[in-house]
Amino acid sequence: MLHTFYSDGVDIPLPPKHPFPHSKYRLLRERVERLAERLPLVLAPAREATEEELLRVHTAGYVAEVLEGRLSEEHQRAIGFPWSPDFVRRSRRSTGATVMAAHAVMGDGSGNGQRAWGAHLAGGTHHASADRGQGFCVFNDVAVAIRSLQATGLTRRAVVLDCDVHQGNGTALLFGDDPDVFTFSIHGAKNFPLRKEQSDLDVPLEDGTGDAEYLAKLAPALKRVWNEEPFDVAFYISGADPFAQDRYGRMGLSREGLRERDELVLSQCRERGLPTVTVMGGGYARDVEAVADIYAATIEVAAQYAAKAE
């Protein structure tokens, strides 16, 4: 069973022509509701992450600035969203959904005490670090989820498999000194962020990389990741932004290539018996329906492998 959580009930008020496509999350949920008619997955709404959960990752000062509306204009520009009460609710709910998925996969939220697979129909906010947000990322949802699992004794060692087209710089910073979290990122070498951080394993790719070259780089990189086993849980940040039509991706992957990527990553998680949480990452094609289709294909693959994992 794929335990799937959604957080699209609150949208951040944005100015006209803002580039962030909020509607992709609603469109994705609608597609996943249809998938649930034929695949073993269940959908549930997200709760908001608690302050205690946020403070395991983010500084008290930064959390207070976000929750109390004291972010500077410069910091709001770096994040890419203006502050509002809905900005807070949306950010907390998006983080809470990944925490819920993480606890479901480790056996205390699946309803039967058994490990499962989980997904969040948003998330992957990997640019957020301890004291700041960046690039449409406010709180680092995967980091908060990992720290929650560790704090409750549900896991010791986690791996983050980040295939978003942008490097997971915030995640790399947060776990740089933690031997119990292995961070992997395959991303555009010249893409955002300008300053890259050091993941445990980084695979930088040139602009215009297509399906064949991408998959040829991903496969041996995953072998290197598995050399670092054992892991208790995997977090897969998929990303629709390596898509050739993405406004910010600068890559050349097709929909078929992205699905092959999902198959490669998730099949190897299943082979290792790893409880796995899949989150969506970025996706900024002007055709928002295409973004939702790519995300939905990722969820479909995850649901299929979740069924095999049982």
Side-chain angles (χ1 to χ4, degrees), residues 1-252:
M1 183 68 68
L2 183 69
H3 295 268
T4 309
F5 300 87
Y6 59 90
S7 55
D8 62 286
V10 178
D11 285 342
I12 299 171
L14 298 174
K17 298 184 178 180
H18 191 282
F20 192 83
H22 263 307
S23 62
K24 64 183 180 178
Y25 299 124
R26 173 183 54 80
L27 294 171
L28 172 59
R29 176 174 49 79
E30 292 170 353
R31 283 161 169 77
V32 173
E33 287 170 345
R34 293 194 290 273
L35 285 176
E37 296 173 2
R38 61 180 178 83
L39 290 173
L41 65 86
V42 292
L43 273 166
R47 64 164 174 82
E48 293 186 359
T50 66
E51 287 191 52
E52 180 183 8
E53 289 168 337
L54 298 174
L55 289 170
R56 292 191 183 112
V57 169
H58 299 285
T59 65
Y62 177 59
V63 171
E65 287 175 359
V66 172
L67 301 189
E68 299 170 12
R70 294 192 283 106
L71 285 172
S72 67
E73 289 187 11
E74 178 183 0
H75 204 161
Q76 290 177 59
R77 284 195 299 271
I79 292 172
F81 297 138
W83 189 92
S84 68
D86 281 342
F87 164 90
V88 176
R89 284 192 286 270
R90 166 65 185 162
S91 300
R92 292 181 71 163
R93 190 172 296 184
S94 184
T95 305
T98 303
V99 174
M100 293 174 76
H103 281 263
V105 306
M106 296 309 294
D108 67 338
S110 60
N112 57 12
Q114 297 178 350
R115 292 185 175 189
W117 274 32
H120 172 200
L121 304 185
T125 46
H126 58 173
H127 298 309
S129 55
D131 62 351
R132 66 192 60 216
Q134 185 185 33
F136 303 143
C137 302
V138 183
F139 301 124
N140 193 308
D141 64 309
V142 168
V144 172
I146 290 173
R147 291 302 190 216
S148 179
L149 291 180
Q150 291 174 330
T152 50
L154 288 169
T155 189
R156 186 185 72 83
R157 199 146 191 266
V159 60
V160 181
L161 305 168
D162 192 340
C163 293
D164 187 288
V165 81
H166 305 107
Q167 195 219 24
N169 58 322
T171 308
L173 271 175
L174 288 165
F175 294 120
D177 296 324
D178 188 344
D180 288 332
V181 181
F182 189 92
T183 55
F184 163 67
S185 179
I186 182 168
H187 54 263
K190 300 174 183 176
N191 210 323
F192 180 89
L194 181 62
R195 176 183 173 181
K196 308 293 191 292
E197 302 296 341
Q198 184 64 54
S199 307
D200 290 303
L201 176 59
D202 285 301
V203 179
L205 302 173
E206 292 302 314
D207 288 359
T209 296
D211 294 347
E213 184 180 358
Y214 184 98
L215 295 167
K217 293 289 183 67
L218 176 60
L222 288 173
K223 289 183 180 179
R224 292 174 62 186
V225 171
W226 304 130
N227 285 339
E228 302 296 326
E229 291 185 285
F231 302 114
D232 303 316
V233 62
F235 288 82
Y236 174 39
I237 304 175
S238 59
D241 43 11
F243 183 43
Q245 297 177 23
D246 195 271
R247 284 181 287 176
Y248 306 128
R250 294 161 56 173
M251 289 285 174

